[in-house]
Amino acid sequence: MKVTVEFMGPIRRPWPEQSKEIELPDGSKVSALFSELGFTEVESRSINVLRDGLRLRPFSHLIDGERIVLMVPAGGG
Amino acid sequence: MSIDRYARQRRLFGDEGQSRIMRSSVLVIGAGALGSTVSSLLVRAGVGRLRICDDDVISLHNLPRQLLYDEDDLSDEIKASEWFSDWRNIGIEEEGDIGIFFNRLDWENDCPVHGAQSCKLRRYIRKLTEIIDEHKEWTWDGSSSDTTLPAMQIPPEPDESDELDEQPDELTYSYHWVERKPMNNVSRIKKIQIAADKLRRMNRDCYVEPYAVKVSEQNFSSLAHGMDLIIDCTDDLPFRQTLNRLCVLSGKPWIYGGVNGSLAMVAAFSGSGKPCFSCAFGEEASKQEPPQVLNAAPALCASYQSAIALKALAFQKLESVLWTCDPWSGITSTVKLRPDPDCPICGIRKEGEGVSP
Ligand SMILES: [Zn+2]
Ligand SMILES: [Zn+2]
């Protein structure tokens, strides 16, 4: 399956592009995406994954062809 | 003919919209980088009542980002605390860590760091360092709190005339501020007093209410009472979680703003409480280290917060949108947020009301 990943906020980006399509095994969950992108367990906990503005959980299944946003809030002010 | 200061805005908001803005009350939490710009823009736009809270004091390192404050605000404060009352704390670093400071640098009453940009003062400081070189016993290594130095002969300041056409001489010394502990029994001026003074000068029609307090669960309901909109201008994530919970419970709309590096992030949450901050950000937000910040980032963030605040006040519509912009990379993105049916914060009310999910 293919998922397009977009980044928002002060998140460690594994590539310079704003978004990228990545290949995952069929039926992958959000947690699989985290490991595919090389995020550690601790990092993953602070990353919010949004599908069309709705937050997914680590156990949520991804949908083939969808576009999701990986987002970390900015804390400074 | 009467003069209308809001003529340009009326074209955007309409008379009714401008009147709504002028009847509105806004609570701004924090008077730092975000709060400076948010409060200035709202007061200038004609908000009727602005309540602003911050219990901090002004520091030198606030000046690059916090646009309500300037060097004049520092002078009273920092003369009395962070450095010596008569600029005695200018240090001259020579071959390492030994700071030499002189007793009195009364140079046009100006801030030496500022003045040192000119070749005039550079040369002057160099002249002083030569004098100090001859008095090595005055060397101060930072260990003693005794600041009394023997009197020394300060040369007259150089002519104004030779300032412009000369290149600065090569500097043999670098100089820096010597950090000093605040002096005793001097109360430091709260940032919020200065903020209120400046805001009142911007628009006499706005009722500015400064509170030198840190907003907490204990004082939230009295501070939020009567407020139409709350704008988050704080700098820690756990507080935003608390604020979110309090706003959901009290049905107050609020606008989150945060910065990191060159990035600005804003999200708005309506009085319905759905979606809420936790719907989008979860509840894991841990305290972040103070990030590196480009001063344009909070100005950008606060401008966006103010824009959607004014739109919300004028047209009574606040969309739940998450927006980020990073002028450094040129990336801007927007996501329309949706209520999370499993959110433990905005879901509580739903369960309490006995509505099945
Ligand atoms: Zn100066
Ligand atoms: Zn929620």
Side-chain angles (χ1 to χ4, degrees):
Chain A
M1 66 188 291
K2 284 176 176 168
V3 174
T4 302
V5 179
E6 189 184 327
F7 293 104
M8 252 180 134
I11 184 170
R12 186 175 64 73
R13 289 157 195 256
W15 55 69
E17 293 87 357
Q18 162 68 352
S19 67
K20 206 170 183 171
E21 191 181 64
I22 63 159
E23 183 84 50
L24 290 165
D26 282 352
S28 287
K29 295 176 183 179
V30 167
S31 51
L33 176 71
F34 285 144
S35 27
E36 176 65 27
L37 296 176
F39 290 113
T40 65
E41 177 87 34
V42 177
E43 278 178 313
S44 307
R45 258 182 265 146
S46 61
I47 300 173
N48 303 290
V49 182
L50 301 177
R51 168 192 291 151
D52 192 21
L54 186 65
R55 200 165 64 93
L56 302 180
R57 304 295 195 269
F59 50 81
S60 307
H61 283 279
L62 295 166
I63 301 168
D64 186 31
E66 76 173 329
R67 185 181 190 89
I68 55 163
V69 173
L70 266 59
M71 180 268 291
V72 169
Chain B
M1 195 186 101
S2 70
I3 305 159
D4 180 10
R5 73 196 290 166
Y6 305 115
R8 301 281 175 98
Q9 283 180 200
R10 280 185 205 282
R11 292 174 159 199
L12 184 65
F13 299 128
D15 286 338
E16 183 50 34
Q18 182 64 40
S19 301
R20 284 207 193 98
I21 289 172
M22 291 161 76
R23 287 195 304 268
S24 65
S25 301
V26 180
L27 171 64
V28 175
I29 304 180
L34 295 174
S36 282
T37 302
V38 164
S39 58
S40 302
L41 291 173
L42 294 184
V43 166
R44 287 176 188 274
V47 160
R49 184 174 171 205
L50 186 111
R51 187 174 286 173
I52 181 163
C53 312
D54 198 309
D55 72 340
D56 212 350
V57 292
I58 297 173
S59 315
L60 197 53
H61 63 81
N62 294 155
L63 290 197
R65 293 177 315 284
Q66 307 192 2
L67 306 187
L68 270 182
Y69 317 108
D70 56 47
E71 288 185 358
D72 283 350
D73 304 320
L74 285 178
S75 56
D76 285 349
E77 159 116 359
I78 290 183
K79 268 181 187 171
S81 58
E82 290 190 2
W83 72 69
F84 279 84
S85 54
D86 50 6
W87 308 122
R88 275 176 303 184
N89 75 328
I90 186 171
I92 291 174
E93 201 170 52
E94 184 207 3
E95 293 170 13
D97 228 354
I98 300 170
I100 306 166
F101 68 103
F102 16 93
N103 198 14
R104 196 175 179 85
L105 180 67
D106 189 9
W107 192 77
E108 283 183 351
N109 253 341
D110 195 11
C111 143
V113 158
H114 207 211
Q117 304 297 325
S118 76
C119 15
K120 190 166 75 170
L121 185 58
R122 278 162 182 246
R123 280 202 310 278
Y124 185 56
I125 285 181
R126 201 170 106 169
K127 216 182 283 179
L128 290 175
T129 61
E130 281 163 9
I131 294 167
I132 288 165
D133 266 354
E134 296 163 14
H135 296 81
K136 285 288 187 192
E137 72 272 22
W138 292 353
T139 300
W140 179 69
D141 64 3
S143 58
S144 158
S145 62
D146 181 14
T147 62
T148 319
L149 288 178
M152 69 174 125
Q153 189 74 44
I154 305 287
E157 72 177 73
D159 274 346
E160 196 68 52
S161 56
D162 58 6
E163 157 119 39
L164 287 172
D165 43 10
E166 276 183 48
Q167 290 297 310
D169 297 330
E170 200 192 320
L171 276 176
T172 42
Y173 299 92
S174 63
Y175 36 89
H176 67 117
W177 294 108
V178 177
E179 243 186 61
R180 305 293 309 179
K181 285 245 169 1
M183 288 168 81
N184 296 331
N185 28 319
V186 180
S187 66
R188 306 177 74 195
I189 302 165
K190 293 284 185 182
K191 192 177 267 189
I192 207 72
Q193 289 172 247
I194 293 156
D197 278 355
K198 300 234 170 136
L199 293 168
R200 284 169 181 148
R201 269 182 262 165
M202 291 173 193
N203 191 345
R204 64 179 65 196
D205 293 332
C206 178
Y207 184 63
V208 177
E209 292 177 58
Y211 285 86
V213 294
K214 204 172 169 65
V215 176
S216 66
E217 287 185 68
Q218 286 69 42
N219 61 20
F220 176 81
S221 61
S222 39
L223 289 168
H225 182 77
M227 297 289 121
D228 302 308
L229 179 64
I230 296 170
I231 306 187
D232 155 51
C233 296
T234 63
D235 61 0
D236 85 298
L237 284 170
F239 176 77
R240 273 112 171 191
Q241 302 282 2
T242 306
L243 180 61
N244 178 54
R245 199 156 30 79
L246 295 166
C247 286
V248 169
L249 285 170
S250 58
K252 294 282 181 191
W254 71 287
I255 299 171
Y256 147 78
V259 296
N260 189 301
S262 52
L263 176 133
M265 183 178 262
V266 175
F269 304 98
S270 77
S272 77
K274 291 168 203 275
C276 76
F277 186 83
S278 292
C279 291
F281 297 97
E283 292 147 279
E284 283 282 344
S286 52
K287 217 169 175 92
Q288 291 175 351
E289 286 296 300
Q292 49 173 350
V293 177
L294 171 74
N295 64 359
L300 176 69
C301 183
S303 297
Y304 197 92
Q305 288 179 289
S306 310
I308 56 175
L310 290 170
K311 191 179 164 193
L313 297 171
F315 302 110
Q316 305 187 301
K317 192 169 168 21
L318 187 61
E319 280 180 284
S320 295
V321 167
L322 170 66
W323 172 86
T324 59
C325 178
D326 186 343
W328 210 261
S329 63
I331 295 171
T332 302
S333 37
T334 308
V335 172
K336 200 167 157 41
L337 298 172
R338 289 195 291 151
D340 180 352
D342 299 325
C343 174
I345 304 302
C346 64
I348 290 169
R349 217 160 38 151
K350 197 161 103 181
E351 282 162 24
E353 286 162 10
V355 180
S356 56

